[in-house]
Amino acid sequence: MTQNSYSLTPRAAVITTDAEALAAARHLAEQALAGAVERDQQRIYPRELLNQFTLLGLGSISVPREFGGGGLSFQTVAEVFRVISASDPSLGQIPQNHFGLIQFILGEGSAEQQQFLLSEVVKGQRLGNGGPEKNTQHTRDVQAQLVTTSQGLQLTGEKFYSTGALFADILATTAFHAEQPVMAFIPLPADGVEIVDDWSGIGQRTTASGTVKLQQVIVPADLTMPLPAADKPTLRGAVSQLIQAAIDAGIAQGALDEALVFVRSSSRPWVDAGVSRNADDPYILADVGRISTELSAANALLARAARVLDNIDPQSLTAENCARASIAVAEAKVLTTEIALRASEKLLEWGGSRATLLRHGLDRHWRNARTHTLHDPVRWKNHAIGNYYLNDVLPARHAWI
């Protein structure tokens, strides 16, 4: 197996219990909250926090123990992302693809590839995503080419939405090779790879989800994997979407937490309310009750979806159990999308005009929610759920369902 030439970071810890993972996530979330407004407003990367995420051992909690990882449950993975994203969802989103790629390696890699790449993850290497291509017909349309030359395999193409690539030790991206789609893993730094932070979205500002330019990049022949056939049962989409939903649930939690503090301490009641504190406004009290209930429901569906994944034997995947996992996650994703948007909007409504002042940075919650929830259109989640229950149609298999 190809040996990587990049320098290793200090070896990461290995977390082997749920309690350790959640304690590490809460510690990191506490650290992240303090500078969240400044990082958002000035587009400051959370590099040190991301390094803490890795060195604490959070990056390998889903790696099976046979490869040296924590082998923890999807319930714990989802809760780790939810807790961190409540403080800073950009920090939550950066390693999102890292975990999706771990699942891809487990599903599509050879035993040797799994051993090499997952051992690197356990040591503290981060996987980054060379995302879909911006000017193609749809997100699964791949134009990048991997060709055989006298110097070996060379990859040329341009990618966008490349969350995590700027902070990665190993870049993973798709290309066509001999008319077959493959995933190529490229140890960084590498000649011909240019990672550009041209992400200008209104939210998730510090994810660096921009462009990756690849010009005749040498790809180790033993670090390419075929993309799975459309009819192959896989949990990759369900795992990826579970983390997406956890990030949205975290955004909702962060918005609600900050709303409660702001309403109590920094807002004033409406003139007709007849109360001395905004926190006693009966309409706000009812709103808070509704939002809290909806968030509890979303969190419950998120936990249920994770349990469905945990109860599936990865060695016995079928079209039916993979569909069941995708539908459970889709149901959670519908509610986490809705509550992330509603809680972040209600925060501004309850706080009044002063809640929009730049110094408070409260608008970041809505911008983050609106941006991140666009990753996968929720209307197609509802369609997949309805088609599954009404017509017994299994959902499509890809990373977005």
Side-chain angles (χ1 to χ4, degrees):
M1 180 60 60
T2 301
Q3 295 300 309
N4 46 347
S5 60
Y6 48 83
S7 60
L8 290 174
T9 56
R11 181 145 186 156
V14 176
I15 294 175
T16 58
T17 70
D18 297 328
E20 287 179 300
L22 296 176
R26 293 184 189 110
H27 169 76
L28 187 61
E30 184 179 348
Q31 303 302 309
L33 187 58
V37 172
E38 181 184 13
R39 287 193 303 276
D40 170 77
Q41 292 180 346
Q42 300 183 28
R43 290 189 184 264
I44 300 171
Y45 301 137
R47 288 186 184 275
E48 179 54 37
L49 293 163
L50 184 60
N51 288 338
Q52 284 191 52
F53 179 96
T54 301
L55 292 175
L56 286 168
L58 290 169
S60 65
I61 58 174
S62 71
V63 174
R65 295 194 179 189
E66 66 189 275
F67 300 109
L72 301 185
S73 67
F74 288 115
Q75 294 174 72
T76 296
V77 171
E79 184 64 6
V80 163
F81 274 88
R82 192 191 71 83
V83 167
I84 292 171
S85 297
S87 290
D88 186 345
S90 286
L91 177 61
Q93 188 183 345
I94 290 170
Q96 164 189 309
N97 288 314
H98 170 93
F99 280 76
L101 288 165
I102 289 172
Q103 194 65 34
F104 180 86
I105 293 165
L106 288 170
E108 309 306 324
S110 67
E112 189 180 21
Q113 289 171 328
Q114 290 174 353
Q115 184 63 51
F116 174 71
L117 289 168
L118 297 178
S119 294
E120 293 299 292
V121 168
V122 171
K123 291 175 186 175
Q125 299 301 285
R126 288 193 289 266
L127 305 174
N129 178 49
E133 297 172 24
K134 187 163 48 174
N135 298 314
T136 54
Q137 187 174 8
H138 51 74
T139 56
R140 301 189 77 184
D141 186 2
V142 176
Q143 300 297 317
Q145 296 293 318
L146 183 65
V147 298
T148 302
T149 72
S150 59
Q151 295 180 296
L153 294 177
Q154 290 188 343
L155 199 160
T156 297
E158 186 169 308
K159 305 289 184 171
F160 195 62
Y161 303 112
S162 301
T163 307
L166 189 65
F167 315 104
D169 302 291
I170 301 173
L171 175 70
T173 193
T174 53
F176 266 90
H177 177 56
E179 299 184 357
Q180 296 296 320
V182 300
M183 183 78 77
F185 291 81
I186 306 166
L188 298 177
D191 291 340
V193 176
E194 181 184 2
I195 301 172
V196 184
D197 180 16
D198 54 355
W199 172 246
S200 60
I202 62 170
Q204 299 298 91
R205 288 178 168 181
T206 63
T207 58
S209 300
T211 299
V212 171
K213 298 179 180 180
L214 304 148
Q215 186 63 40
Q216 297 180 323
V217 178
I218 298 296
V219 176
D222 50 7
L223 288 183
T224 66
M225 301 175 194
L227 295 184
D231 60 350
K232 180 180 179 180
T234 174
L235 293 177
R236 180 190 176 202
V239 171
S240 175
Q241 287 298 295
L242 181 76
I243 296 172
Q244 298 272 12
I247 293 169
D248 293 338
I251 293 173
Q253 188 68 62
L256 180 58
D257 290 346
E258 199 151 2
L260 299 182
V261 172
F262 194 85
V263 168
R264 291 189 198 108
S265 64
S266 302
S267 65
R268 58 185 179 181
W270 179 240
V271 62
D272 296 325
V275 295
S276 60
R277 298 189 318 144
N278 203 23
D280 294 323
D281 183 316
Y283 293 107
I284 290 180
L285 290 172
D287 267 354
V288 170
R290 279 189 289 269
I291 293 297
S292 298
T293 301
E294 290 168 10
L295 180 54
S296 293
N299 287 335
L301 280 190
L302 180 68
R304 188 195 70 166
R307 288 195 300 273
V308 171
L309 276 165
D310 285 329
N311 289 331
I312 295 175
D313 181 357
Q315 304 305 316
S316 303
L317 298 182
T318 65
E320 289 71 25
N321 61 23
C322 288
R324 187 166 65 252
S326 289
I327 292 300
V329 174
E331 290 172 333
K333 186 70 165 61
V334 168
L335 289 199
T336 59
T337 293
E338 292 175 352
I339 192 58
L341 292 168
R342 191 144 48 240
S344 57
E345 182 179 0
K346 283 293 184 180
L347 159 59
L348 299 174
E349 179 186 327
W350 299 338
S353 298
R354 67 180 62 190
T356 68
L357 297 178
L358 186 64
R359 70 174 184 267
H360 300 304
L362 299 180
D363 60 304
R364 76 188 191 280
H365 295 287
W366 183 87
R367 288 187 288 100
N368 290 334
R370 182 65 283 177
T371 300
H372 190 262
T373 56
L374 292 175
H375 189 282
D376 316 283
V378 75
R379 62 186 181 275
W380 280 96
K381 303 294 183 192
N382 284 318
H383 171 272
I385 295 164
N387 216 12
Y388 177 77
Y389 287 121
L390 185 60
N391 298 319
D392 297 320
V393 175
L394 305 188
R397 293 199 188 99
H398 50 62
W400 302 282
I401 189 64

